[in-house]
Amino acid sequence: MESKIENTIIIGSGPAGLTAAVYAARARLNPLMIEGEEAGGQLMITTEVENFPGFEHGITGPDLISVMRKQAERFGTRFITRNVTKVDFNVWPFKVWIRDTEYQAKTIIISTGASAKLLGLPSEKQYMSKGVSACATCDGAFFKDVEVGVVGGGDTAMEEATFLTRFAKKVYLIHRRDSFRASKIMQDRVLKNPKIEVIWNSEVLEVKGNGKEVTGVILNDTVTGAKTEKAMQGLFIAIGHTPNTKIFNSLLDMNEAGYLVTKPGTTFTKIPGVFAAGDVQDPTYRQAITAAGTGCMAAIDAERWIENKEAELHG
Ligand code: NDP
């Protein structure tokens, strides 16, 4: 059976996708959003968002997503809470599948975001959710009055280490070099916090545990090569993110880290009618507000592209 041809399918439901949905819905494109099984993206694992303009006193990540979603819904966005499993952009209308169900669309807006990177150690995998976590804001409260570690030297690591001092007795911030890449203000916050001890020039070689929970880590001194064991009950990995672009491999241009490449100043990918917005195409800014901004651009780009395409087809 031929499926209905949508004007636009938005894949992914963080601030980029939801903003695209608000704009596309208000442009009467009646957008279909395939929001994913972990809808809302990274803001769902963020406590306070204090830098999204319009919220003078801050808002929690999940609340921000919830109001954006309601706003998109109010103008007629339809939602499917499943993951896209396959796409075909070599045909037009474009095709998108959720397992065996096929959807067709004149335009696609990709806003699948990015996910936290891990160290890739077998012991890290073994103790994931048994003391190892990639999200302090989700799991921090489980580590009350114990000692924990945070790996990384960027803003995320600073933020997580600072946040964890609300619960943990002590936070070891483990960084592989002798200086942080984090912004000065976030570094200062960490360095002034008496509950945080920085372990410089060190990488985690192994997570130790008793089978049920983490008991410590084996550290390698990157300067001397000395190995030491440090006792701790939790380990938070905060070493950056990977864009969620696997299903677009070989279809769209990506940079070496896997971020989708868009034409500068627009949301156009190399396939006309396929647009990308938010963290999936932004290795630089990665903020909720910049994601929302590019989501707006994608909806406007899609609307104009459909108009031009229809003029071309029907004269
Ligand atoms: P970054 O890429 O900035 O930093 C990643 C850190 O992890 C680096 O210090 C890096 O070390 C370290 N690292 C990477 N891989 C490994 C590994 N395999 N083993 C050990 N350490 C590793 O990522 P962030 O997530 O911190 O930040 C991403 C972006 O988001 C930045 O632009 C940041 O400013 C922004 N951000 C802003 C926030 C805010 O303003 N509130 C909060 C959080 C993020 P090395 O330095 O040696 O490369």
Side-chain angles (χ1 to χ4, degrees), residues 51 117-119 151-157 159 174-177 179-183 186 202-203 238-241 283-287:
N51 51 12
K117 266 194 216 164
L118 296 174
L119 298 170
V151 184
D155 281 336
T156 304
E159 197 171 63
I174 304 161
H175 183 40
R176 61 185 178 182
R177 292 188 298 124
S179 63
F180 291 134
R181 69 169 63 226
S183 56
M186 312 267 281
S202 290
E203 57 193 7
I239 60 170
H241 294 85
T284 311
Y285 303 103
R286 295 185 281 197
Q287 301 299 302

Side-chain angles (χ1 to χ4, degrees), residues 134-145:
C135 175
T137 49
C138 322
D139 302 328
F142 301 126
F143 296 85
K144 217 165 178 305
D145 299 324

Side-chain angles (χ1 to χ4, degrees), residues 132-170:
V132 176
S133 166
C135 175
T137 49
C138 322
D139 302 328
F142 301 126
F143 296 85
K144 217 165 178 305
D145 299 324
V146 296
E147 299 195 331
V148 299
V150 173
V151 184
D155 281 336
T156 304
M158 304 301 122
E159 197 171 63
E160 303 237 313
T162 306
F163 177 74
L164 284 165
T165 59
R166 291 191 201 178
F167 312 100
K169 190 160 66 184
K170 172 142 202 174

